[in-house]
Amino acid sequence: MKKMILTMVAALAVSVAVQAKTVKTTFKVGGNCTEMCKPRIEKAAKQVPGVVSAKWNQKTQQLALVYDNTKTNSKKVQKAIAATGHDAGNIKASDATYAKLPGCCQYRK
């Protein structure tokens, strides 16, 4: 009986692990610098539960995102970044939030 219970618990653990899927994606995030924009963008992304990693490239204006799709999705991450003032993917930061960015971080023309 004890072996049966342990086998069932192990099977359940494998089943849960199989359902979780790590997704890698990239999307554009507006910003200017690696000194202030990069940490702000990456911090906003990483605070979303389920995000495994987030790395923003200033030159390409791309965020490389890895997340657990059972806990979040890229749209939620884009919204979190936009809430800090940076346009992210298809989500545009509000004008009021954008205006609060330091002058050196404002990238809209």
Side-chain angles (χ1 to χ4, degrees):
M1 181 69 160
K2 190 174 183 180
K3 282 186 179 182
M4 182 188 284
I5 292 172
L6 289 174
T7 303
M8 289 173 59
V9 168
L12 179 61
V14 168
S15 174
V16 169
V18 169
Q19 290 176 359
K21 183 176 179 193
T22 302
V23 176
K24 297 177 183 179
T25 190
T26 60
F27 53 84
K28 183 175 180 171
V29 178
N32 283 334
C33 65
T34 57
E35 294 170 8
M36 294 176 72
C37 296
K38 181 178 175 70
R40 183 182 310 107
I41 291 164
E42 291 177 355
K43 180 180 178 183
K46 290 175 184 174
Q47 287 182 336
V48 177
V51 170
V52 176
S53 72
K55 300 208 186 293
W56 182 71
N57 183 302
Q58 175 192 4
K59 187 175 183 177
T60 64
Q61 299 284 290
Q62 294 288 311
L63 180 79
L65 179 68
V66 180
Y67 63 93
D68 176 342
N69 74 344
T70 64
K71 296 179 181 177
T72 195
N73 58 52
S74 83
K75 187 171 184 177
K76 288 180 183 177
V77 176
Q78 291 172 21
K79 285 181 179 181
I81 294 169
T84 69
H86 296 272
D87 298 339
N90 295 324
I91 310 293
K92 185 176 178 183
S94 73
D95 291 339
T97 305
Y98 175 81
K100 291 178 184 177
L101 288 175
C104 64
C105 293
Q106 295 183 2
Y107 51 89
R108 294 180 186 163
K109 304 284 181 194

